[in-house]
Amino acid sequence: MKRLSLFFSFFIFISVGCSSTKNTPKIEKFTELDATTVKTLMKEYSIDVPNNWYSYLEGHNHLSHSPKELLLNKYVPQTNLYIFKKKAKKYTNINDLTIYFVKKLEKKYQNFNYDLVKGSLPLYGRYNFIIYKTNYFNKDYTTLNAIILKDNYYYTITYRALSNDYQKYADDVVKMIHSFRIKE
């Protein structure tokens, strides 16, 4: 009898738990998100997204940002910015972290060439830009990775654009990177 009661309690617990998930609205990918949703999705950091950009969830459910003029095209934006947070493991300075990051890219891309640009953020000190070119489906892209090291984590702010459009949005991207704040 005790087992039956325990089973019934477990069943009710699971049913209630599942029904609450059903009421959570699903966010449609590649559609513009309102400011409240964006703020909610930026759980561990914040950036100031310019008014001429929009925010959305990309194909892997990562929060991304693209110029609004690309919203008019009904395809996946080919210019975007997104942020990842990863454990820094044994890397305690930006130089060692940059070497590690470049080695990962060298394994991923054949004949990998890049430019390294050093920058500084008032709150987080030195960071590095790693800028490189790639080709996907016969289209040339330029990618900028801003690597910021904070405590035991590093943040990668990635800006990827068709090479012809890279400079067009670069000023907006630099402003977004400089507005980056880690929530404590």
Side-chain angles (χ1 to χ4, degrees):
M1 185 71 155
K2 198 171 188 177
R3 278 189 182 173
L4 185 59
S5 175
L6 185 61
F7 174 75
F8 185 69
S9 298
F10 179 74
F11 178 75
I12 289 175
F13 176 75
I14 294 297
S15 298
V16 170
C18 291
S19 65
S20 66
T21 349
K22 290 177 187 174
N23 295 333
T24 305
K26 185 175 179 177
I27 299 173
E28 189 175 333
K29 294 177 184 174
F30 300 106
T31 58
E32 186 171 8
L33 302 174
D34 61 83
T36 304
T37 304
V38 172
K39 195 171 187 174
T40 302
L41 292 171
M42 288 187 197
K43 294 175 184 156
E44 298 184 22
Y45 67 87
S46 67
I47 60 167
D48 298 332
V49 180
N51 291 334
N52 60 326
W53 285 58
Y54 72 103
S55 302
Y56 59 95
L57 289 183
E58 54 84 52
H60 296 100
N61 288 320
H62 296 122
L63 180 61
S64 291
H65 316 279
S66 292
K68 278 189 178 178
E69 66 186 271
L70 301 177
L71 180 61
L72 303 174
N73 301 325
K74 299 299 178 193
Y75 62 89
V76 176
Q78 297 187 24
T79 297
N80 63 356
L81 179 135
Y82 53 90
I83 300 171
F84 283 120
K85 174 186 175 185
K86 294 187 179 176
K87 189 87 170 139
K89 297 179 184 174
K90 59 185 173 195
Y91 306 103
T92 57
N93 65 63
I94 196 68
N95 291 331
D96 292 344
L97 179 60
T98 301
I99 291 167
Y100 160 77
F101 195 82
V102 167
K103 284 182 181 179
K104 277 181 40 177
L105 291 171
E106 287 173 335
K107 288 179 183 176
K108 185 176 181 178
Y109 299 110
Q110 203 171 21
N111 301 320
F112 181 71
N113 292 310
Y114 66 96
D115 290 323
L116 178 65
V117 179
K118 298 175 182 178
S120 182
L121 294 171
L123 291 176
Y124 309 114
R126 196 174 125 217
Y127 69 94
N128 286 336
F129 283 148
I130 298 170
I131 305 167
Y132 57 94
K133 296 185 183 290
T134 56
N135 185 289
Y136 292 106
F137 300 109
N138 294 321
K139 291 183 179 181
D140 292 324
Y141 289 89
T142 301
T143 302
L144 174 146
N145 285 300
I147 303 171
I148 300 165
L149 182 62
K150 172 75 169 125
D151 299 328
N152 296 325
Y153 294 92
Y154 71 93
Y155 296 80
T156 306
I157 303 173
T158 300
Y159 165 56
R160 182 174 171 257
L162 289 169
S163 292
N164 291 340
D165 293 337
Y166 180 82
Q167 278 305 125
K168 183 176 182 180
Y169 306 111
D171 288 342
D172 287 345
V173 169
V174 170
K175 287 177 187 171
M176 283 189 269
I177 291 169
H178 283 228
S179 74
F180 176 76
R181 299 289 181 267
I182 298 167
K183 295 180 181 177
E184 308 271 343

